[in-house]
Amino acid sequence: MIEVNINELGERIKELRLERGLSQKELADKIGVATNTISQYESGKSKTSITVLANLAIALDTTTDFLLGLET
C-alpha cells in the first residue's frame, strides 16, 4: 500500500508553483479553490481530493504521480 506524505506533496506543489511563476492566488484561481486552501496544501495542513490533485497536476504541467512522490 502506498502512503502519501502530505508534507512532501505540499513541498512539490510549492516548488512547481514558484517554478511556473504563479502566486498562490493565481494557482487557486486556476483550479477553483480559495487562496488559503493552496497555503494549507503547501504547508501540509490539508489533504487534497483526487479531483483537486488532478487539477493541480494540469495547472502545474506535471503528473499526479510526481505530486504524490511516486516518480521523480
Side-chain angles (χ1 to χ4, degrees):
M1 183 171 213
I2 298 169
E3 288 203 30
V4 175
N5 181 328
I6 64 169
N7 290 322
E8 184 177 311
L9 171 62
E11 290 171 12
R12 287 174 183 254
I13 292 169
K14 183 175 183 177
E15 176 185 317
L16 289 171
R17 177 180 61 78
L18 293 174
E19 284 179 9
R20 306 300 188 261
L22 297 170
S23 68
Q24 287 183 341
K25 181 179 181 350
E26 290 169 325
L27 180 56
D29 290 346
K30 281 182 172 244
I31 66 168
V33 300
T35 303
N36 68 331
T37 302
I38 298 297
S39 176
Q40 290 175 354
Y41 293 156
E42 290 183 355
S43 65
K45 293 180 182 173
S46 182
K47 295 180 182 179
T48 69
S49 69
I50 292 171
T51 302
V52 171
L53 183 66
N55 288 332
L56 281 165
I58 292 166
L60 295 170
D61 192 29
T62 191
T63 65
T64 55
D65 281 356
F66 178 80
L67 290 175
L68 293 171
L70 302 175
E71 68 179 40
T72 55

